[in-house]
Amino acid sequence: MTSFRVGMTTDTGRVRTKNEDSNLVADNLFAVADGMGGHQGGEVASALAIQTLQAHAPGPSIESLREGIQLANRVIFDKAGSAEELHGMGTTLCAVRLVDTSGGQVVAWANVGDSRIYLFRDGELTQLSEDHSLVQNLVRDGQLTKDAAAVHPQRNIVTRVLGIELDVDVDIDTVIPYRGDRYLLCSDGLFDEIDENQIAGVLRRLADPKEASAELVRLANEHGGRDNITALVVDVIDDGGRAESASAALDGDPTKPVPITPSPSAHDDGAVDRGAFAGRRSSLPDVDEEKLPKTGERSGEFFDDLDRARAKHWTWRVGAFVLVLLLVLGAAAGAVGWYARRTYFVGFRDGEVAILKGRPGGLLWFGPTVEQRMGIKRGEVPQAPREEIAKGKDEGSLDAARRYVANLQDQIKRARPKPTPTTRPTTTTTKPMPKTTTTRPRPKRSVTTVAPATTKP
Ligand code: MG
């Protein structure tokens, strides 16, 4: 039978005005949560995580632990969407639980975020959990040393926490407990101030877990206390005689943690900058504890609310998606419409020449529209331009289309046959000669007696 002795110390630190860390010390279940978020979000998130875990990880199994943490994630996510001042809140959560397996009792540990679980065994300190943080990713990729990560200015950027996404991956693994093992669960306010050598020194020196946790917090405060500090020391004081038998089976080297199930693959969703959250209220978080389910409960008002919240969340997401889709389609249709109708051409409509707006033949569902009818019959148009106009003579602008039609009218006019002369009286420009009106009276004819002519001799 495995049993534990526990010491827990938590402190606001020397800079913060209130403590947003939460912790859980229950029957064989221990956890630390480090909340983050504006206003009262941080303390609400960490408190919800602890309360939900306690209520929903009642069974001594790995799956129960996982479900409890995933449910805590959804509870916080739901709560964050219920009030503007809680929007964006989240929390880390690391937990240790004694679970039953076919191979006997083992310690299951689980982690989301950058709070840590250490195992102190035979004088050596080993970090069991992996930080879900930006600098840890850089360390894993070989771009940063562990020592450099410990003082990196962006070491507070976490890449996975509870409450930010509807679903979350939980790192879970197991360790065979041996008498004398010490598990340390702590928030970053501890290991940001003191290094692992100092932590190991305290755990070596102080056998009482209460004294050890208090000393760890005291040291963190002494080194600055710039964040909330929580140290939870869980000592294995009885392992049912396993240590003795395992020692023989492992050639006397039971110093390493023995994983029973593999860790889920690391999967980091978007990064969250703890430093981005500011502003805190001093009032206690408004957590509706009455509505939280009782231990072991799997139905009731709480789950109904959760289902409704999830349905509402998806309805909202689907609605937002449809709205965005409509906006994109509307913008695309507008762009096509603008392109389709930005130009003019000359064509035939109802047997007449017309200036039309749009593209000949139209584009998608944007057909051309008549801008101006020109009163020229198709039959009047000479052959060459007639074929051109029948296809749609693209002219770009309205003025260009009008110039084309004016030119066409000239062609038509020139093509008309010249009129033949007619017999109708023409007006003459030459003045008629004035008639003489003064007529001299002709002399009257008369008989004149003429004397005979005399001749001279
Ligand atoms: Mg912290």
Side-chain angles (χ1 to χ4, degrees):
M1 187 71 181
T2 307
S3 58
F4 304 102
R5 185 170 56 175
V6 183
M8 196 286 300
T9 304
T10 185
D11 191 78
T12 304
R14 292 187 168 176
V15 175
R16 301 289 177 86
T17 56
K18 62 178 180 171
N19 194 346
E20 296 186 332
D21 287 357
S22 294
N23 65 85
L24 173 63
V25 178
D27 289 342
N28 297 332
L29 175 60
F30 314 98
V32 167
D34 178 356
M36 65 199 73
H39 300 290
Q40 59 180 351
E43 56 190 331
V44 171
S46 65
L48 275 175
I50 293 299
Q51 290 170 10
T52 311
L53 179 65
Q54 184 171 18
H56 284 277
S61 71
I62 295 169
E63 275 316 300
S64 175
L65 181 61
R66 190 196 305 276
E67 284 176 11
I69 294 173
Q70 288 177 332
L71 184 61
N73 174 67
R74 292 195 288 268
V75 169
I76 298 163
F77 182 84
D78 172 47
K79 189 76 177 176
S82 69
E84 193 173 340
E85 66 268 22
L86 299 179
H87 183 71
M89 71 175 178
T91 185
T92 71
L93 180 65
C94 63
V96 161
R97 200 203 197 303
L98 188 67
V99 298
D100 293 330
T101 69
S102 57
Q105 288 186 315
V106 297
V107 166
W109 62 262
N111 180 57
V112 174
D114 68 347
S115 295
R116 287 182 182 172
I117 303 167
Y118 287 101
L119 171 64
F120 184 76
R121 174 178 287 177
D122 290 347
E124 297 295 325
L125 189 70
T126 306
Q127 185 181 339
L128 296 180
S129 60
E130 182 180 73
D131 299 347
H132 300 139
S133 66
L134 183 67
V135 291
Q136 177 58 35
N137 290 351
L138 296 175
V139 170
R140 192 171 52 220
D141 294 345
Q143 298 178 45
L144 208 62
T145 65
K146 194 173 179 185
D147 289 343
V151 295
H152 196 280
Q154 291 181 308
R155 65 183 179 280
N156 289 329
I157 295 180
V158 287
T159 52
R160 201 193 309 177
V161 288
L162 299 186
I164 301 299
E165 296 284 338
L166 190 61
D167 295 302
V168 69
D169 285 343
V170 182
D171 288 357
I172 289 191
D173 211 334
T174 56
V175 181
I176 296 175
Y178 294 99
R179 183 166 47 80
D181 285 350
R182 313 188 87 175
Y183 296 92
L184 169 64
L185 289 72
C186 56
S187 59
D188 61 346
L190 179 72
F191 56 80
D192 274 356
E193 300 294 3
I194 59 175
D195 64 27
E196 293 179 352
N197 287 330
Q198 291 169 298
I199 292 172
V202 170
L203 294 175
R204 264 186 224 112
R205 184 158 49 88
L206 298 173
D208 184 319
K210 290 179 183 170
E211 288 180 15
S213 66
E215 176 63 5
L216 288 169
V217 171
R218 189 193 68 76
L219 274 178
N221 269 324
E222 190 176 272
H223 284 76
R226 285 162 287 192
D227 196 0
N228 305 144
I229 312 155
T230 299
L232 202 168
V233 178
V234 181
D235 288 351
V236 180
I237 57 172
D238 186 0
D239 63 3
R242 181 187 289 118
E244 288 74 14
S245 57
S247 180
L250 296 171
D251 288 334
D253 184 24
T255 56
K256 298 294 179 187
V258 182
I260 289 180
T261 57
S263 289
S265 60
H267 170 68
D268 291 334
D269 298 313
V272 180
D273 187 353
R274 291 163 172 276
F277 299 111
R280 299 174 180 346
R281 281 198 237 143
S282 58
S283 62
L284 284 171
D286 180 24
V287 178
D288 191 356
E289 296 182 32
E290 290 299 313
K291 291 178 70 176
L292 280 172
K294 305 299 176 286
T295 299
E297 195 174 68
R298 284 291 183 276
S299 62
E301 186 186 0
F302 174 83
F303 286 94
D304 293 343
D305 284 353
L306 186 61
D307 288 343
R308 275 194 293 274
R310 294 184 74 181
K312 198 169 91 180
H313 169 74
W314 281 110
T315 304
W316 181 87
R317 278 200 167 181
V318 169
F321 173 78
V322 169
L323 182 63
V324 169
L325 188 65
L326 288 175
L327 286 173
V328 169
L329 289 176
V336 171
W338 172 82
Y339 176 75
R341 295 181 51 75
R342 62 190 279 266
T343 188
Y344 294 84
F345 69 97
V346 179
F348 289 116
R349 276 295 179 275
D350 303 326
E352 287 188 2
V353 174
I355 296 175
L356 297 108
K357 188 175 187 179
R359 301 260 162 201
L363 184 64
L364 295 180
W365 53 90
F366 295 98
T369 56
V370 175
E371 186 74 12
Q372 188 176 358
R373 293 181 187 275
M374 305 310 296
I376 305 170
K377 302 289 185 196
R378 181 189 286 261
E380 295 179 82
V381 181
Q383 183 66 29
R386 188 189 305 165
E387 292 175 2
E388 196 172 59
I389 293 170
K391 292 177 189 168
K393 180 69 175 76
D394 197 346
E395 283 298 326
S397 70
L398 183 59
D399 285 345
R402 283 175 174 157
R403 282 195 295 274
Y404 178 87
V405 173
N407 188 40
L408 179 67
Q409 286 169 324
D410 284 348
Q411 287 183 54
I412 292 169
K413 194 178 287 180
R414 284 197 299 274
R416 279 180 183 143
K418 288 193 166 56
T420 51
T422 61
T423 54
R424 58 184 175 175
T426 54
T427 52
T428 174
T429 54
T430 53
K431 289 181 180 176
M433 289 293 287
K435 289 179 179 175
T436 307
T437 55
T438 54
T439 54
R440 282 182 292 187
R442 296 176 69 177
K444 284 184 181 173
R445 215 174 274 240
S446 63
V447 181
T448 303
T449 304
V450 179
T454 57
T455 57
K456 285 179 178 177

